[in-house]
Amino acid sequence: MTLRSTPATNGLLFDAQQGIIAGHHSPRIAHSSDLFYVDMTQTSDITIIGGGIIGLLTAREFNKAGASVTLIEKNQIGQESSWAGGGILLPLYPWHQPDPINRLVLQSLKLYPSLAAELKAETPVDPEWNPCGLLITKNPDITLADNWCKANNLPYSPASHTLLAPFETQPLNPLWLPGIANARNPRLVKSLKADLLNKGVQLIEQTALKSVAINGQTIASIETTAGKRAVNQLIIATGAWTGDVFEQFFSGQNTSQPKIFPVKGQMLVFDAPPQCLPYIVLDGDQYLIPRLDGKILAGSTVEHDDYNKATSPEVNAQLREFAIRLFPKLKNCPVIHHWAGLRPGTEHGIPYIDRHPELTNLSINAGHFRYGLVMGPASAQLMVDLILERAPSVSPEPYRMGAEH
């Protein structure tokens, strides 16, 4: 690439493909075709609203590209859906999922081993990425499952009697997927937070967005409960609250608003000895997930209950009955926690990952429903691809604001 002249020498040149290629200061990105002129100011290149797994991974990807990043979270980082999920790194029955979900999933599966290894090596918190395998006890559409696994080079085999022996179920074409992992959500979030702090990303918690100042087609600044901040690029990654955020702050735009809404899920955790359950088990629409210390998660529900995160005794009883019936070893293991989280739902579970078509420095990365953890690395990569105009790792069209979600 031929470098163009810039209006000052106290800056950086930022190439959309190669990152920073001249200079050594924290950048401020101003777009100019395939070249960015990076000037020195106190304003971060990237401001992210939302500190869940999507916001954290997006911040990390921008940091890797050489951008300065500020992330703002209204509560504590990673304490909503990202903390509450089970952490299975594969959609339930992926052969039933829309292709745009699986494109992000398959790309993320390539990224997770190195991501987990880096976080484990570089932070004091092990995210407990555990490639323990997944047993699916019932597959009435075995031909569809077989074809999907073959087409996507996902190792699988018929489940053996040994794998099925610990469980009380009526298996139907059971499948064993040996390479499927789970991550321990709270530890992954803590590890990402520590990693970002180590890398100099500014993390601001307990700070809510109050207003947005728009000048023509550009966001000039935002007002938060901690004061006013100028912005260069603003990314909304607010999970289940994203629809409300757009309605409150960007409803004056002609573009259709993202249709993202809260979907509650409740889970239990049993205190079991290590290796009591060595792999993930999916039985119908419910599952058991082992942690490395022996704890076993049982989940989950899908409830449309607005922003209500209250748990219920009825669901507690239902999940406990399912878990003990399926895996009788849990009968003498106490339930030590029962919680609920709010997933960012869309009609088909397809997220929004796009630059706003009218506001030139606004983007969205939200709406991942049940699969934010497994789609997260690829979603972050695509968000950075779009803003830095890199060749996209995944085709961006299905995630556009105007696409069907």
Side-chain angles (χ1 to χ4, degrees):
M1 172 181 293
T2 301
L3 300 183
R4 304 172 189 174
S5 61
T6 59
T9 57
N10 183 28
L12 303 173
L13 291 174
F14 194 95
D15 185 284
Q17 301 297 325
Q18 302 297 326
I20 295 174
I21 55 178
H24 60 278
H25 302 295
S26 297
R28 170 183 172 275
I29 299 173
H31 178 254
S32 175
S33 183
D34 56 359
L35 185 69
F36 295 98
Y37 176 68
V38 186
D39 194 11
M40 296 302 302
T41 75
Q42 296 300 312
T43 305
S44 294
D45 307 326
I46 307 295
T47 301
I48 299 171
I49 307 296
I53 191 73
I54 298 300
L56 292 169
L57 287 169
T58 302
R60 189 175 191 271
E61 188 72 16
F62 272 112
N63 177 268
K64 285 172 60 179
S68 61
V69 183
T70 294
L71 184 149
I72 301 171
E73 164 58 38
K74 68 176 181 177
N75 296 315
Q76 288 183 298
I77 283 173
Q79 295 300 299
E80 295 292 346
S81 178
S82 302
W83 177 89
I88 303 174
L89 298 181
L90 190 75
L92 306 184
Y93 308 102
W95 38 90
H96 292 168
Q97 304 298 330
D99 185 68
I101 291 178
N102 286 323
R103 294 307 99 200
L104 291 172
V105 167
L106 293 166
Q107 176 65 9
S108 288
L109 293 183
K110 298 175 185 176
L111 300 173
Y112 252 113
S114 59
L115 170 65
E118 289 168 11
L119 292 174
K120 185 175 180 179
E122 298 172 11
T123 78
V125 185
D126 181 358
E128 294 192 9
W129 177 79
N130 179 18
C132 58
L134 168 65
L135 171 65
I136 305 178
T137 63
K138 298 178 177 67
N139 293 282
D141 46 3
I142 187 63
T143 300
L144 185 63
D146 180 87
N147 290 340
W148 189 91
C149 290
K150 287 179 180 176
N152 293 290
N153 299 311
L154 193 72
Y156 75 105
S157 65
S160 67
H161 292 296
T162 302
L163 288 167
L164 290 162
F167 306 104
E168 293 293 332
T169 187
Q170 298 296 319
L172 176 63
N173 304 316
L175 283 181
W176 170 240
L177 282 64
I180 300 307
N182 74 81
R184 194 163 185 168
N185 308 42
R187 292 178 182 245
L188 176 60
V189 166
K190 289 179 181 178
S191 187
L192 281 167
K193 181 179 178 180
D195 184 58
L196 293 176
L197 289 172
N198 289 343
K199 290 176 164 59
V201 172
Q202 185 178 18
L203 304 180
I204 303 173
E205 299 181 293
Q206 304 293 345
T207 300
L209 185 62
K210 291 176 62 180
S211 64
V212 177
I214 299 175
N215 183 9
Q217 293 182 302
T218 304
I219 297 172
S221 64
I222 59 174
E223 183 80 25
T224 74
T225 51
K228 186 176 181 180
R229 306 180 68 90
V231 297
N232 288 315
Q233 292 285 342
L234 182 68
I235 299 171
I236 306 299
T238 46
W241 288 264
T242 301
D244 288 353
V245 168
F246 269 79
E247 178 65 28
Q248 181 177 353
F249 300 112
F250 307 111
S251 59
Q253 307 306 309
N254 294 324
T255 304
S256 59
Q257 303 297 298
K259 297 178 177 62
I260 300 174
F261 46 85
V263 182
K264 183 163 74 174
Q266 298 188 50
M267 299 189 74
L268 303 178
V269 61
F270 289 81
D271 193 13
Q275 289 300 306
C276 179
L277 177 67
Y279 41 83
I280 308 161
V281 183
L282 174 61
D283 186 72
D285 60 357
Q286 295 179 301
Y287 48 77
L288 300 177
I289 307 170
R291 299 308 196 203
L292 293 180
D293 61 2
K295 292 180 175 60
I296 298 172
L297 276 66
S300 67
T301 61
V302 177
E303 306 171 53
H304 296 272
D305 196 16
D306 201 26
Y307 291 100
N308 175 21
K309 290 194 293 181
T311 58
S312 71
E314 294 80 11
V315 169
N316 186 304
Q318 291 167 10
L319 290 175
R320 191 173 187 278
E321 189 279 331
F322 153 74
I324 293 172
R325 174 191 55 77
L326 177 64
F327 191 44
K329 286 184 180 181
L330 290 176
K331 186 174 182 179
N332 297 318
C333 298
V335 172
I336 56 174
H337 195 30
H338 174 203
W339 68 91
L342 300 177
R343 310 176 183 100
T346 64
E347 184 178 357
H348 303 291
I350 301 169
Y352 293 79
I353 310 168
D354 196 12
R355 300 189 68 162
H356 195 279
E358 295 176 44
L359 296 173
T360 59
N361 61 340
L362 176 65
S363 300
I364 180 174
N365 192 359
H368 295 73
F369 190 35
R370 304 181 80 166
Y371 307 123
L373 213 70
V374 64
M375 290 194 282
S379 297
Q381 193 177 63
L382 178 57
M383 186 81 272
V384 179
D385 291 343
L386 293 173
I387 290 181
L388 298 188
E389 296 189 341
R390 306 186 305 198
S393 51
V394 175
S395 177
E397 282 72 19
Y399 318 105
R400 301 290 192 199
M401 289 190 68
E404 185 177 7
H405 293 268

